[in-house]
Amino acid sequence: MSARPFLALLALLPLAACGEANMDDQAKARTWDKNAFFPKQMTMRHPVTGTVPRTDPAWEVPQPAAITATLVERGRDRYAIYCTPCHGQDGRGAGMIVARGLAPAGDLTSGRWRAAPASEVYGAISQGYRSMLPMASMIPSADRWAIVAYVRALQLSRDASVAALPPADRAALEAAR
């Protein structure tokens, strides 16, 4: 017998000793297991002091019970960051992307979105709508509800008359002209 096939078999022998790697079979500590390595034999540890918890932005929170000025203001701020590039400041779908040659985004002040329930507007922000990408991974749920509140304010402001403004706001508007 030649030495060459024998050496080839000898080289393959260590591979026969390899078992199937399975992470379920390895030694590990589960959350509530006792662990002699740590004080009090607790596997689950408290967070290190000074660490900042990270939350999942897609975590759903319920729709706010009431729309407040603070909520609308937060929505305006978040809308300016996430929505204005496509929908524009007035919500009519002519943001800066249109100036760069892309198709106009949907008009948020149109009758279709005015008639839609708040949960549908929230769903469109979360899961996307037509060519709009889903934003749930980027915008926390509470901020999505704030954006919905601001979109409702945009819808109301589209047809608002100057006569409907409070006297102080009407005077400020006249003074700005």
Side-chain angles (χ1 to χ4, degrees):
M1 181 172 180
S2 135
R4 194 176 239 171
F6 177 72
L7 289 174
L9 282 172
L10 192 61
L12 291 174
L13 188 61
L15 294 176
C18 292
E20 189 178 317
N22 189 342
M23 296 180 84
D24 287 335
D25 293 338
Q26 70 180 349
K28 60 181 170 270
R30 297 191 187 267
T31 306
W32 297 104
D33 290 348
K34 287 191 174 199
N35 191 332
F37 182 77
F38 294 114
K40 299 183 184 176
Q41 298 185 342
M42 291 173 31
T43 298
M44 188 168 31
R45 315 296 302 151
H46 290 288
V48 177
T49 305
T51 57
V52 178
R54 180 168 167 79
T55 58
D56 180 6
W59 186 263
E60 300 286 330
V61 298
Q63 181 176 355
I67 295 177
T68 63
T70 304
L71 183 69
V72 174
E73 184 58 32
R74 175 72 178 179
R76 185 183 69 76
D77 180 55
R78 301 291 94 183
Y79 180 91
I81 294 168
Y82 296 107
C83 309
T84 299
C86 299
H87 294 282
Q89 289 181 344
D90 61 1
R92 294 185 179 173
M96 68 180 195
I97 64 157
V98 175
R100 287 168 174 72
L102 295 173
D107 182 353
L108 299 175
T109 62
S110 71
R112 186 257 184 271
W113 288 109
R114 283 178 184 235
S119 59
E120 190 174 338
V121 178
Y122 177 87
I125 297 167
S126 301
Q127 286 114 30
Y129 184 78
R130 295 191 181 164
S131 63
M132 180 178 154
L133 297 174
M135 304 295 278
S137 63
M138 293 182 269
I139 308 173
S141 182
D143 285 346
R144 283 180 266 152
W145 283 118
I147 290 170
V148 171
Y150 181 69
V151 166
R152 292 298 194 218
L154 277 177
Q155 293 167 345
L156 289 172
S157 70
R158 183 171 182 179
D159 298 325
S161 66
V162 175
L165 291 173
D169 291 338
R170 217 172 324 146
L173 185 63
E174 293 299 324
R177 287 185 183 175

